[in-house]
Amino acid sequence: MKAAQIMSFGTPDVLRVTETETPTPGAGEVLVAVEASSVNGHDTMVRAGGLKLVLGRKVPMGTGLDFAGVVVEIGTGVAGFRAGDRVWGMVHPRRRHTTAAAAEYVVVAADRIGLAPAGVSAIEAASLVVTGSTALIALRESVGLAGGERVLVRGAAGGVGTAAVQLAHAMGGHVTALARGRHAAALRDLGADEVLDYGTTTAEEIGPFDVILDTVGSELNCYRSRLAKGGRMVTVGLSAPALAAIAASAIHGSRRIRTFSANPGSAVLDDTADYVTSGALRPIVHSVYPLADIAAAHQAFEHGGVLGKHVLAVSS
């Protein structure tokens, strides 16, 4: 099978699409023929060498966190899925994979997949696996968003941001989106009640908010100060400075900066699929690349500034 692999750590040109053996599912696992995957911050961080302490230094290493495709083989002990099922899911983000989701086939634990939402293509589904589940966990579990609360989504035009705007709206929040001004109309269409241009708006000029969902990972203390009494903040944009800010914010109790590892199982994927099927969560795909052009997809992701996701078309 064809699979994208990291041959050494560095810039996108270390990625290669190679021929390798098709994996075989073990007990509790399924083999999925991948139709689409997407590019996420986790992928670029692994490729650049930022997770060597967790994943080790051995290369070649697989790349690609999420996928949508079709089950082709079931391992022993798997219930609830069968060959031919259209599914979506994620490989485990904290385990090293020789080949991962950016490949023609992927083996994954059955409790890390769900039935793909009806009414969307594999390309569209792949754009929502990480983004939709991450936004759902952040809003529902990390900060417990309630109807009527004022929500700020910082970095609202990105993958997680566009999902968060939609889900916060669906949960009854009053949503303020902070993003590039040129994305204002699209974000209002997704459910934002207000859109602020981050290029001309400072943190000191906005708020207070009951909930802040940050996808950027910088100036965290400044934005945390815009919380109302009893407000909650969560960030999914992790870096060394962000981790320091998160740790230091513990003195603020419930108004601290929270974070989490987005590692959804089948239940969260099923809940995300329900939002998609109902129309409350729509896929926002900016561009589609063939698997052979994965380096260009990584470059585009790191350049930023777009609305929605970069997706890899693996097979049809």
Side-chain angles (χ1 to χ4, degrees), residues 150-152 176 196 206-212 226-228 231-232:
R150 297 158 295 177
V151 186
L152 173 69
T176 298
L196 302 176
I206 61 176
F209 297 98
D210 301 301
V211 166
I212 297 176
R226 311 319 296 165
L227 287 174
R232 293 90 67 205

Side-chain angles (χ1 to χ4, degrees), residues 127-139 145 153 155-171 175 187 190-191 213 215 272 275-276 280-284 307-309:
S127 76
L128 285 170
V129 179
V130 168
T131 59
S133 62
T134 298
L136 182 59
I137 293 169
L139 292 170
L145 175 64
V153 179
V160 175
T162 53
V165 167
Q166 296 178 77
L167 290 174
H169 174 75
M171 294 175 184
V175 184
L187 290 168
L190 294 178
L213 191 159
T215 72
T272 306
Y275 278 104
V276 179
L281 179 59
R282 289 183 276 152
I284 309 298
L307 182 77
K309 290 284 288 182

Side-chain angles (χ1 to χ4, degrees), residues 10 31 94 108 132 137 160 250 269:
L31 177 67
R94 295 189 297 278
V108 64
I137 293 169
V160 175
L269 291 169

Side-chain angles (χ1 to χ4, degrees), residues 6 9 41-65 91-100 261 263:
I6 300 165
F9 297 110
H42 178 274
D43 306 321
T44 59
M45 186 180 298
V46 171
R47 188 214 70 229
L51 291 179
K52 289 178 185 177
L53 292 179
V54 177
L55 302 177
R57 298 171 177 270
K58 185 178 179 181
V59 291
M61 183 183 295
T63 185
L65 190 59
V91 300
H92 200 293
R94 295 189 297 278
R95 294 178 185 166
R96 179 188 176 277
H97 306 276
T98 302
T99 60
S261 175
N263 193 16

